[in-house]
Amino acid sequence: MLSEGNRDMEQKLKIALLVIADLFVLTISPWIALYIRLEGNTNDPFFSVMKVTLPAMVGMAMVIFYCFGLYKRLWRYASVNEAFAILTALAANMAMNMLYLHMIGNHLPYSLHVINFLLLLVLVGGVRFCVRIAHYFRKQREKKKATNVLILGAGDAGAMIAREIQQRYHGDKNLVGFIDDAQYKRNQRLFGVRVLGTRAQLAEIVTSNQVDEIIIAMPSVNGTMLRNVIRDCRETKCNVKIIPGLYELIDGKVSMQELRNVDLEDLLRRDPVRLDLEQIEACLKGKRVFVTGAGGSIGSELCRQIVKMEPDQLILFGKGENSIYEIHQELRGKHPSIAIYPVIGDVRDSSALDTTFSDYRPQVVFHAAAHKHVPLMEAQPAEAVKNNIFGTKNVAEAADRFGSEIFVMISTDKAVNPTSVMGATKRVAELIIQGMNAISQTKFVAVRFGNVLGSRGSVIPLFKKQIAQGGPITITHPDMKRYFMTIPEATQLVLQAGAMAQGGEVFVLDMGEPVNIKDMACDLIELSGLEPHKDIEIKYTGLRPGEKLYEELMTEEEGTSSTRHNKIFIANLKEIEKEKLVSGLQRLKLATSVEKTLEAISELVLTYDGFRRKDS
């Protein structure tokens, strides 16, 4: 690859050669035109006039060429615009020549100027056309060394990728064609490249065109179809790249930088969710927005989505110094016009929260800070209580005291019929939110969803690490199933639910169908180019304390009510009596042992049997 300095030198050399070529053409063309006009009579007096006037005419032509930008264009990409520039420059040159000869009192035949104009059109245009031809043959030579690329999907996303390959990556990638199942696109061309056939002909097309790499440009296709497409592509043994789904491309922009290897998120992709962006903007635009746990997986993605809605201020609150620093640097670099403030603090510290709320007076609060690791919280229930219950209480009370408009708490499916300390503490946090809504002007709501793909501490990073180490992959039970969403999908629906809040709701997101963890592990092994049970062993370790085989998003007794959004529901939960909640929280606060802590939680969450289970 050439450096910037070398490229600049090369460009200056090309311009110099173009100037020399133009000087030569402008010098010989009038003589040829005159010779044609006078039918070879070189003794005619007009030849003497030409000798005297030609230097001035050549000089004027060079100035006109410069003024019309003929030396400031990339002629290897010449098109109609460049042809029009040449045409107008030569017309101006002819007019100036005639005016110049008239002013100095000399005369040349008018037909000479027309002949000269036509000759220059051929010669000046021809010189530049040769540049494009040379570039074309250079590209053809490079293509023989380049990676042969086939694009699956001749739609908008495929067209964007094709354009970028041809303009910026032609030396490295040779686009051989498209595949698309739409019959009307067969043999049509995009950027000069043909749609070669349908997915049923993939293997044949790959072989006949010696394809090295397949790019799947289908960001809106659902997971079932995408799984089949990926299976077909992998059977060809080509390198397979994919454009992320619409959740990751919320702005609709597609480029080569977004291409990545196929990942598990692609196999689990669901139908795109339609967002009411106007409603979300009305909730966030121009507002002061506060996010707890802003350095975590969910919190940081919430912040990325919130800044797109142009808030007045975004306050990033979290106790992890490095993670808050990283998300602050990222957002500040991408959105320099928005005031973004990093604050290091702990939701368990009510005085720090009061100071922050007093300083920034947030109007919208998203509470994403929580302890979420089930086994760790089973071993340390007091920590789960401090963070998930009293941390939530602290933030909620601060939002009430300082007049926030909306408070949205991130909850979990593990809060339904909880068998774990983590799930039970999140259910108590929901009760606190509902209780606060009854006495406050602030609208308090919670949003429940299941596991998030790729979040810190989730099963996917663990599986990937185990595969990288050569196995085995450890699964607690072969029948274990979990609900999964991608991080962008979950956070966008959280924003939508927050914008819909009337106060007191516990929103439940449509998580689709639960996924078998064993099947997910096998998919990950295959995506790594290995074979399950052969290259990578799968071991079953038994259910851990507090774990369920199947998670629930609601109990049968609760049920749900629909909302205006087809992916968001409201759980019909019974609210706890205020006195019982207050006394239960007081007991939790005064608990001095694990047993007393679990007993206090069990009295607040009647379906939680942790205390009885510990005793048995």
Side-chain angles (χ1 to χ4, degrees):
M1 294 290 287
L2 292 174
S3 66
E4 284 297 320
N6 289 338
R7 280 192 183 136
D8 188 48
M9 184 65 70
E10 183 184 11
Q11 184 62 22
K12 287 178 179 177
L13 178 61
K14 288 177 181 177
I15 292 172
L17 292 173
L18 204 57
V19 168
I20 293 170
D22 284 345
L23 284 171
F24 177 73
V25 166
L26 289 166
T27 301
I28 66 166
S29 179
W31 291 111
I32 297 172
L34 188 60
Y35 187 84
I36 293 171
R37 170 63 181 80
L38 299 176
E39 298 179 353
N41 182 10
T42 56
N43 295 319
D44 192 286
F46 283 130
F47 275 91
S48 299
V49 175
M50 180 66 74
K51 287 179 183 178
V52 175
T53 59
L54 183 60
M57 289 194 294
V58 171
M60 283 190 299
M62 294 300 293
V63 172
I64 290 169
F65 282 13
Y66 178 81
C67 292
F68 276 79
L70 298 195
Y71 302 113
K72 296 180 181 179
R73 295 174 182 266
L74 293 174
W75 293 101
R76 58 185 174 181
Y77 301 121
S79 62
V80 175
N81 289 333
E82 283 67 36
F84 184 73
I86 294 172
L87 190 65
T88 52
L90 292 177
N93 179 59
M94 182 174 69
M96 289 299 295
N97 285 343
M98 294 172 70
L99 179 62
Y100 166 69
L101 291 169
H102 176 73
M103 289 175 63
I104 66 173
N106 281 331
H107 176 64
L108 286 171
Y110 289 121
S111 56
L112 166 74
H113 297 291
V114 175
I115 297 170
N116 188 41
F117 171 83
L118 295 174
L119 281 171
L120 287 175
L121 189 61
V122 173
L123 295 172
V124 172
V127 167
R128 283 151 177 81
F129 188 63
C130 285
V131 174
R132 179 161 185 176
I133 291 174
H135 178 65
Y136 173 79
F137 282 111
R138 179 182 171 186
K139 280 178 66 176
Q140 294 304 113
R141 287 196 302 272
E142 290 173 344
K143 280 183 178 180
K144 293 178 182 178
K145 306 173 188 175
T147 301
N148 286 336
V149 176
L150 179 69
I151 296 179
L152 254 69
D156 292 340
M160 290 180 193
I161 291 296
R163 183 190 294 115
E164 194 168 1
I165 287 175
Q166 292 191 338
Q167 290 181 353
R168 297 180 57 189
Y169 295 88
H170 55 80
D172 302 317
K173 297 182 183 293
N174 171 36
L175 182 57
V176 300
F178 294 87
I179 280 184
D180 199 291
D181 284 341
Q183 288 295 334
Y184 74 91
K185 294 181 182 178
R186 180 71 185 273
N187 291 322
Q188 300 297 310
R189 289 181 178 269
L190 277 78
F191 304 105
V193 182
R194 198 160 58 90
V195 178
L196 300 173
T198 64
R199 189 159 52 93
Q201 302 164 288
L202 177 62
E204 177 189 339
I205 291 170
V206 165
T207 302
S208 60
N209 291 275
Q210 297 181 318
V211 173
D212 304 303
E213 180 175 287
I214 299 173
I215 296 175
I216 302 173
M218 306 164 72
S220 61
V221 73
N222 64 36
T224 303
M225 178 175 285
L226 189 61
R227 184 184 287 268
N228 293 331
V229 169
I230 291 170
R231 182 200 62 217
D232 293 344
C233 291
R234 291 180 59 223
E235 286 177 358
T236 67
K237 306 301 181 184
C238 291
N239 183 27
V240 182
K241 299 285 186 181
I242 192 168
I243 291 173
L246 290 181
Y247 285 115
E248 297 171 73
L249 296 170
I250 191 170
D251 55 2
K253 295 179 181 177
V254 177
S255 73
M256 292 290 288
Q257 279 69 42
E258 267 85 42
L259 289 183
R260 55 169 169 72
N261 292 327
V262 176
D263 211 339
L264 188 65
E265 287 88 338
D266 303 305
L267 299 180
L268 299 178
R269 188 186 295 175
R270 302 192 292 154
D271 292 337
V273 172
R274 296 183 181 275
L275 298 175
D276 186 345
L277 294 177
E278 289 185 6
Q279 188 181 41
I280 297 174
E281 278 190 359
C283 175
L284 299 175
K285 190 170 185 178
K287 299 290 182 69
R288 298 181 299 277
V289 184
F290 180 88
V291 180
T292 71
S297 306
I298 301 298
S300 60
E301 184 63 25
L302 269 173
C303 294
R304 292 184 189 98
Q305 302 292 347
I306 289 167
V307 290
K308 295 176 183 178
M309 299 300 155
E310 299 179 359
D312 177 51
Q313 296 177 9
L314 177 59
I315 300 95
L316 315 174
F317 188 88
K319 64 180 180 180
E321 177 188 6
N322 289 333
S323 58
I324 293 294
Y325 172 80
E326 287 170 4
I327 187 63
H328 177 244
Q329 290 297 106
E330 176 190 331
L331 296 179
R332 192 175 66 171
K334 292 180 179 178
H335 305 274
S337 63
I338 294 175
I340 303 173
Y341 302 105
V343 179
I344 304 301
D346 195 325
V347 294
R348 295 178 294 184
D349 186 346
S350 58
S351 62
L353 284 167
D354 278 353
T355 300
T356 306
F357 271 77
S358 176
D359 289 343
Y360 297 102
R361 300 278 171 170
Q363 296 161 285
V364 183
V365 177
F366 289 95
H367 177 45
H371 285 328
K372 61 182 181 179
H373 295 280
V374 170
L376 286 178
M377 294 306 102
E378 286 299 299
Q380 302 170 85
E383 288 302 309
V385 168
K386 289 177 189 175
N387 206 60
N388 295 357
I389 295 178
F390 290 107
T392 297
K393 185 171 180 288
N394 290 339
V395 183
E397 289 175 344
D400 172 52
R401 275 195 300 274
F402 291 94
S404 298
E405 298 169 9
I406 299 172
F407 181 103
V408 182
M409 185 194 88
I410 307 300
S411 190
T412 171
D413 56 359
K414 293 176 177 62
V416 183
N417 285 332
T419 58
S420 66
V421 170
M422 194 281 278
T425 55
K426 293 297 280 185
R427 177 63 189 127
V428 175
E430 289 179 352
L431 294 174
I432 291 171
I433 293 308
Q434 289 182 299
M436 286 298 301
N437 188 74
I439 61 172
S440 175
Q441 295 297 311
T442 303
K443 296 177 182 177
F444 285 89
V445 299
V447 183
R448 283 180 186 170
F449 53 82
N451 297 277
V452 178
L453 285 171
S455 63
R456 291 177 193 168
S458 69
V459 69
I460 308 305
L462 173 62
F463 284 173
K464 288 181 177 178
K465 184 177 180 181
Q466 290 174 335
I467 291 170
Q469 293 172 343
I473 279 183
T474 55
I475 300 173
T476 54
H477 195 283
D479 296 328
M480 177 170 280
K481 292 184 178 181
R482 289 291 182 267
Y483 292 99
F484 282 97
M485 298 179 94
T486 65
I487 294 177
E489 178 184 8
T491 53
Q492 287 167 32
L493 285 173
V494 166
L495 295 182
Q496 184 74 74
M500 295 164 58
Q502 296 299 310
E505 301 98 333
V506 174
F507 290 104
V508 180
L509 303 187
D510 177 4
M511 298 291 297
E513 295 299 318
V515 178
N516 185 285
I517 300 298
K518 180 187 70 175
D519 293 342
M520 180 184 289
C522 291
D523 284 336
L524 269 176
I525 293 170
E526 289 175 356
L527 286 172
S528 303
L530 303 170
E531 190 174 333
H533 306 292
K534 182 179 178 182
D535 300 314
I536 300 291
E537 183 186 357
I538 296 177
K539 278 189 175 180
Y540 300 107
T541 58
L543 288 176
R544 298 175 297 181
E547 274 192 328
K548 296 181 183 179
L549 271 183
Y550 311 98
E551 296 291 4
E552 307 160 272
L553 289 172
M554 66 208 75
T555 65
E556 291 182 8
E557 293 78 19
E558 289 173 356
T560 60
S561 301
S562 61
T563 68
R564 288 185 299 168
H565 197 286
N566 65 342
K567 297 290 184 182
I568 301 174
F569 302 89
I570 299 172
N572 300 322
L573 302 179
K574 294 179 181 178
E575 295 186 17
I576 192 171
E577 293 178 5
K578 181 181 176 181
E579 293 75 15
K580 185 175 181 180
L581 177 61
V582 171
S583 62
L585 291 175
Q586 185 64 23
R587 286 194 65 187
L588 267 176
K589 197 169 188 178
L590 297 175
T592 56
S593 66
V594 170
E595 290 75 16
K596 289 183 178 180
T597 297
L598 296 176
E599 183 180 0
I601 294 174
S602 297
E603 289 185 4
L604 284 169
V605 184
L606 298 179
T607 55
Y608 175 61
D609 63 353
F611 174 62
R612 288 178 289 279
R613 181 165 43 80
K614 293 284 182 183
D615 278 349
S616 60

